[in-house]
Amino acid sequence: MRHVSPDRGAQQAPESFVSFGEQGAQLTYGSYLRLPQLLDAQHLESDPPAHDELLFITIHQVYELWFQQLLHEVVAARDAMTAGRLWWAQHLLQRVHVIERVLVQQVDVLETMTPQDFLEFRQRLAPASGFQSVQFRELEFLSGAKDPAYVERFRGLTAEERVRLDRRLEEPSLWDAFVQVLADAGLPSSDDGQVAASLRQVAHDRSTHAGVWALAEALLQHDELAASWRARHVVMVERMIGVKSGTGGSSGAGYLRSRLPLQYYPLLWELRSQL
């Protein structure tokens, strides 16, 4: 057996061993994630500082980060359907579902704040309101619930935000892309009646239309989870402020309850009654 002296092995180690990511030391965890900027984005309005205002800001900033990710995934899923990459679209929509479940669960964290704690700083929020979340409205438009009147009702909309919302109103939605999928599969899709008939055909012959059926179910799941978030949100608002008006001037929980019947894909829901 050949003997290697300890000294020789020690001399070779520095030459052959390289620590992962240390070459040049130009990128760090903090610089990659822009942590100094990110962690300096929570500025309290209350004076003296209310303890739970940091929680309130953090939760809503995290929501906006998830909305950004959802927009990224939804646009990619729509484009994948348009390009005929059904498996990729379904994969992306499954990711959307997981994120939407996280959105619902985040309400539990916000509800650790009591109404009394919220009232310590709520008056400082006006006229800001969750109604003004441009990304959330972009998600609704992209999902298929396009409401041009929302843009007109929006107070404090910047020129850049107006352009974004107008673009979302004009560009194809997830539903538009799915109707194209039906057409590409040779299924009639010129109007709602034809789409409904094609959906019944797909549902009754899933072996032939497996990819189309899987996408239809993925879209319905997206619709259901969005409804779950709206329902969870309105109950949280009622628990926090009762029937008070929203800080942005809306009717608060009353407005949110009026949004509960919203369905992105009513034809997919009606299909259940026709099977």
Side-chain angles (χ1 to χ4, degrees), residues 6-16:
D7 290 342
R8 183 179 178 186
Q11 292 173 355
Q12 290 179 338
E15 298 176 3
S16 60

Side-chain angles (χ1 to χ4, degrees), residues 71-91:
L71 286 169
H72 181 64
E73 306 299 351
V74 165
V75 168
R78 179 201 62 192
D79 294 347
M81 282 192 278
T82 302
R85 302 177 68 202
L86 305 192
W87 68 271
W88 181 240
Q90 185 184 356
H91 168 74

